[in-house]
Amino acid sequence: MAPAGASPRTADVIVLGAGAAGMMCAVEAGRRGRRVTVIDHAASPGEKIRISGGGRCNFTNLSTAPDRFLSGNPRFAASALARYTPQDFIAKLARHAIAWHEKTLGQLFCDGSARDVVAMLVREMAEAGVDLRLSTDPGEIGHANGRFRVAGVEAPSLVVATGGKSIPKMGATGLAYDIARRFGLGVTATRPALVPLTFAPQELAALAPLAGVALPVRATCGRAAFDEAALFTHRGLSGPAILQISSYWREGEAIMLDLLPGGDAAAALKAARAGRGRQGVATVLCAALPRAVAQMVAGGMAGTLADQPDRTLAALGERVHRWTLRPVGTEGYRTAEVTLGGVDTAGLDSRTMAAKSVPGLHVIGEAVDVTGWLGGYNFQWAWASGWAAGQVV
Ligand code: FDA
């Protein structure tokens, strides 16, 4: 790092943050012949890529479309997503002989390791002549005469790619929001998203027998609904369906679980009563639900199925299909995969990610108020927004 007062090294572009978006932007700008310096306080680039997808990196989703993203302006992401698509990233992987597979719901994972994706981007940066500075504290961002100065490097373009606030233990800081505010850009309210939900002690105690149970559900909150697995844990509710719905849930709201999506529990119970009336209710429910869940739904109901009138079976069906739970919170940024909200898209050009009011300033990736569903969408946004800025800086 240059000592204070020393004349700065000049570059064309400073990229702040060597994560998914920052590296993509640096590669693209470097390939255009721009002199790019990437600055990151972490000792290694792409740490979130490395740990993502259980170490296999769910790098994109074949169903990528603007409606898979939450934002104050739902159309904002459309331009970048249309210009850099999942197929473009797949072609990049092919050039580096990185094999992949579709796991489920259009989610693409590496066959090998997420480290291959990090190594690919680092190699591409080196080939594009990018100057990567790790373990470097950006310190105060200087801005004078249309030029930015960060950690002894001066350039007319600054790309903010420092991500969101999730997983502070991995170096997430929220610096992007401070920089945005300092330059007069809006920042929408931020909150942890794609995160497990927690419950009050009494409800948690009632759910305790289910800890460790996973089952396919439809999780609903307001108008949002996701058909995926839910997982009961000692702390509350997790699993893909719950992480998805957490992005839509707000304090005070209930969520609803359909434990047999697409089925009709009341009708099935009535049919079973005709043929297997001597069995207990929980025993019959066990055919369709994990035992602990069946027992919870039956709620210690005495007698056989034959003893239950239609209205009791209808009430049981209601519990199966509309089980209402009231979370009190989330596990927070400690475990959240992403940050909802961020730098207000109103101040950014959707084609270039440039700040409309500050020439040379760009914001990309998770720092922007664009948050994807679970399943590779957040990386696709990082690649696409990084690519878009990389064409113009
Ligand atoms: P990212 O967070 O990747 O990079 C920001 C960079 O800025 C980091 O290198 C950081 O060190 C640096 N930085 C931050 N503050 C700084 C400061 N003050 N000074 C200097 N540098 C600073 N998404 C997906 O699509 N598929 C998946 O499989 C997963 N899996 C997953 C697992 C886990 C555990 C998490 C936490 C997240 C995911 N995600 C995901 C989400 C995905 O990782 C995330 O959306 C992208 O990494 C965002 O890319 P960015 O480049 O915007 O930020």
Side-chain angles (χ1 to χ4, degrees):
M1 219 201 299
S7 48
R9 181 188 174 281
T10 56
D12 296 318
V13 185
I14 299 168
V15 177
L16 197 46
M23 289 197 281
M24 178 61 108
C25 176
V27 167
E28 291 300 317
R31 283 179 178 167
R32 289 173 43 241
R34 312 295 282 157
R35 291 170 304 148
V36 183
T37 295
V38 179
I39 291 169
D40 198 306
H41 65 174
S44 315
E47 277 294 273
K48 280 198 185 160
I49 301 175
R50 183 179 62 77
I51 63 154
S52 67
R56 288 242 162 93
C57 185
N58 178 194
F59 55 82
T60 193
N61 195 298
L62 295 174
S63 302
T64 295
D67 67 358
R68 304 293 158 108
F69 295 83
L70 292 82
S71 171
N73 174 2
R75 294 301 304 162
F76 180 82
S79 169
L81 292 173
R83 287 189 302 138
Y84 192 86
T85 65
Q87 294 306 329
D88 290 320
F89 197 78
I90 289 168
K92 185 192 268 295
L93 293 180
R95 287 193 292 275
H96 291 261
I98 296 176
W100 53 270
H101 60 278
E102 180 179 348
K103 200 165 168 189
T104 175
L105 302 171
Q107 301 169 4
L108 305 192
F109 287 74
C110 297
D111 286 357
S113 165
R115 290 174 194 271
D116 298 341
V117 177
V118 180
M120 171 186 82
L121 293 165
V122 169
R123 195 178 325 142
E124 287 193 345
M125 284 199 295
E127 284 164 6
V130 172
D131 167 29
L132 173 60
R133 300 186 176 196
L134 297 168
S135 305
T136 302
D137 181 355
E140 187 70 22
I141 313 281
H143 185 232
N145 306 319
R147 296 179 71 80
F148 299 89
R149 188 169 171 170
V150 184
V153 182
E154 198 180 275
S157 287
L158 173 65
V159 182
V160 179
T162 49
K165 292 197 267 193
S166 41
I167 324 253
K169 242 168 72 182
M170 293 189 67
T173 59
L175 175 66
Y177 315 133
D178 299 339
I179 297 175
R181 286 192 193 97
R182 183 194 145 188
F183 284 99
L185 299 179
V187 178
T188 66
T190 53
R191 58 182 283 126
L194 301 182
V195 63
L197 297 174
T198 56
F199 293 89
Q202 206 181 345
E203 196 154 12
L204 195 57
L207 293 174
L210 303 187
V213 172
L215 77 166
V217 300
R218 169 170 296 167
T220 306
C221 184
R223 285 161 56 186
F226 292 92
D227 284 353
E228 286 189 68
L231 170 68
F232 293 89
T233 74
H234 290 289
R235 290 194 295 269
L237 260 180
S238 187
I242 303 305
L243 300 186
Q244 298 280 35
I245 216 70
S246 74
S247 299
Y248 294 85
W249 175 82
R250 294 294 179 275
E251 282 72 9
E253 289 181 346
I255 62 165
M256 211 169 58
L257 297 187
D258 182 344
L259 304 174
L260 273 180
D264 183 341
L269 284 166
K270 279 184 203 165
R273 187 177 54 187
R276 292 183 281 154
R278 293 170 65 178
Q279 290 186 341
V281 173
T283 309
V284 173
L285 284 172
C286 273
L289 296 170
R291 175 170 298 278
V293 176
Q295 283 167 345
M296 171 103 24
V297 170
M301 192 174 275
T304 64
L305 201 53
D307 299 331
Q308 313 305 328
D310 279 2
R311 70 184 142 72
T312 304
L313 298 190
L316 275 170
E318 189 71 3
R319 283 192 77 170
V320 168
H321 293 296
R322 300 174 60 82
W323 189 13
T324 303
L325 291 160
R326 257 180 209 285
V328 291
T330 75
E331 286 191 6
Y333 288 117
R334 187 177 60 80
T335 59
E337 271 201 20
V338 284
T339 303
L340 192 65
V343 178
D344 195 337
T345 58
L348 302 175
D349 181 321
S350 64
R351 207 179 143 73
T352 61
M353 304 293 130
K356 291 174 184 167
S357 55
V358 187
L361 181 66
H362 293 70
V363 189
I364 59 176
E366 195 181 318
V368 181
D369 173 27
V370 172
T371 307
W373 286 2
L374 186 77
Y377 297 104
N378 284 297
F379 277 136
Q380 188 58 38
W381 168 246
W383 314 135
S385 58
W387 186 92
Q391 309 310 307
V392 297
V393 284

